[in-house]
Amino acid sequence: MIATSLRLLFFLAGGITAFRAYADDPTPADELARMYGAVRQLDYQGTFVYTRGAQVDALRIFHAGGPVDRERLVGLNGAPAEVVREGSTVTCLQGATPTMLFRNAAAHLLPLLPTPRGLASGDLYELSPGGTDRVAGYRATRIDVVPRDGYRYGYRLWLEDASGLPLRSAVVDASHRTLEEYMFVTLDIGAKPRDADLAAGAATTGAAPIEEAAAGAARWRVADPPPGFVLGGAHTSADGVEHQLYSDGVASVSIYIEPHVAGERAEQRLRRGMLGIYSHTSGGTRFTAIGDVPRVTLERMVRSLQRLDPAR
């Protein structure tokens, strides 16, 4: 009798949920828009695991929503480390010493969340529903961000049904192999952190700001970038290294052009999780591409670099 009643309750709950989803009929784009708001506006705190290949890290996050949201991310294993953000100001700490301070208006501390700019047109990525699941005790709807070509990675996002908060995110390659992933194991949505939970474990007054290089004219150009990747900025450091940043609105690639150092290999390929590095030397110049993209993207960009005419 009890078992029958339980089955009936599960059936009714499932039927109500299905009816609500059908009645509201939210699109994947609607769900992602709700996610971006939830990350900023909600109060929450919890613990999640972050995996990159064989490396597994446990982290604790505290977030207080509001006009100027605040959050703190604390590493629970390995060397002591934490990141504190208030609005656009981000401070990173290693041990007891503040190590860097920078500003980023779009910053948030939950990892592996694609930015909305590159998803709006639908030309580079397709959004599709991926079913339902349960994460950290919450019912979640999965949204898949599927690239339309092989020059970028895809995402799988598990969003909490009631709030839209991302409970889990994974970056996958063309073979659907997970490269990096985070997943909450404990989470309290709506629990406002104390001020002490949001304060850095060490004084941040000694944090040295990261110096932003002044923008300048590019001396090189990627003549044949993969579809969607555009130059966002370029600068040259005091020691003559040119840095260019390309993005499709979700993925990004940094290009470095510098003199070749004797003894270095002419070509190098490295990968750690979703981050790839490709270096190639030609004519006494070393070209390096670093980005959260497949190797074919890095190689295409490096191989098509051309020096610009100084008169242009």
Side-chain angles (χ1 to χ4, degrees), residues 193-252:
R194 302 170 301 167
D195 286 341
D197 295 326
L198 297 166
T204 59
T205 53
I210 294 179
E211 295 185 5
E212 295 185 7
R219 297 174 299 176
W220 294 79
R221 73 183 183 101
V222 175
D224 185 29
F229 282 91
V230 296
L231 178 63
H235 70 266
T236 301
S237 63
D239 57 359
V241 177
E242 181 172 343
H243 172 225
Q244 300 182 3
L245 181 63
Y246 290 80
S247 177
D248 69 352
V250 174
S252 60

Side-chain angles (χ1 to χ4, degrees), residues 50-187:
Y50 188 106
T51 59
R52 177 189 298 174
Q55 181 178 341
V56 180
D57 292 308
L59 302 107
R60 178 79 175 165
I61 191 167
F62 304 90
H63 183 273
V68 180
D69 62 322
R70 302 169 60 197
E71 60 184 334
R72 176 172 169 240
L73 185 64
V74 183
L76 301 180
N77 61 313
E82 59 185 278
V83 184
V84 177
R85 181 179 69 83
E86 182 170 357
S88 62
T89 302
V90 183
T91 306
C92 305
L93 303 99
Q94 187 77 34
T97 306
T99 56
M100 65 182 76
L101 177 70
F102 62 95
R103 297 185 185 278
N104 183 348
H108 54 73
L109 301 187
L110 280 177
L112 306 183
L113 301 182
T115 55
R117 182 167 61 88
L119 304 177
S121 69
D123 295 337
L124 303 175
Y125 299 87
E126 177 185 4
L127 304 180
S128 63
T132 60
D133 204 345
R134 201 166 70 96
V135 181
Y138 292 91
R139 183 176 172 86
T141 296
R142 196 181 95 190
I143 303 298
D144 292 343
V145 179
V146 183
R148 295 189 180 276
D149 57 35
Y151 292 109
R152 55 211 100 225
Y153 291 132
Y155 289 78
R156 292 173 179 164
L157 303 162
W158 286 259
L159 311 181
E160 199 268 320
D161 276 3
S163 66
L165 192 71
L167 307 177
R168 178 183 176 187
S169 177
V171 176
V172 297
D173 63 14
S175 301
H176 307 292
R177 181 172 59 98
T178 299
L179 303 176
E180 296 189 21
E181 180 177 23
Y182 89 82
M183 180 174 66
F184 275 103
V185 291
T186 65
L187 179 64

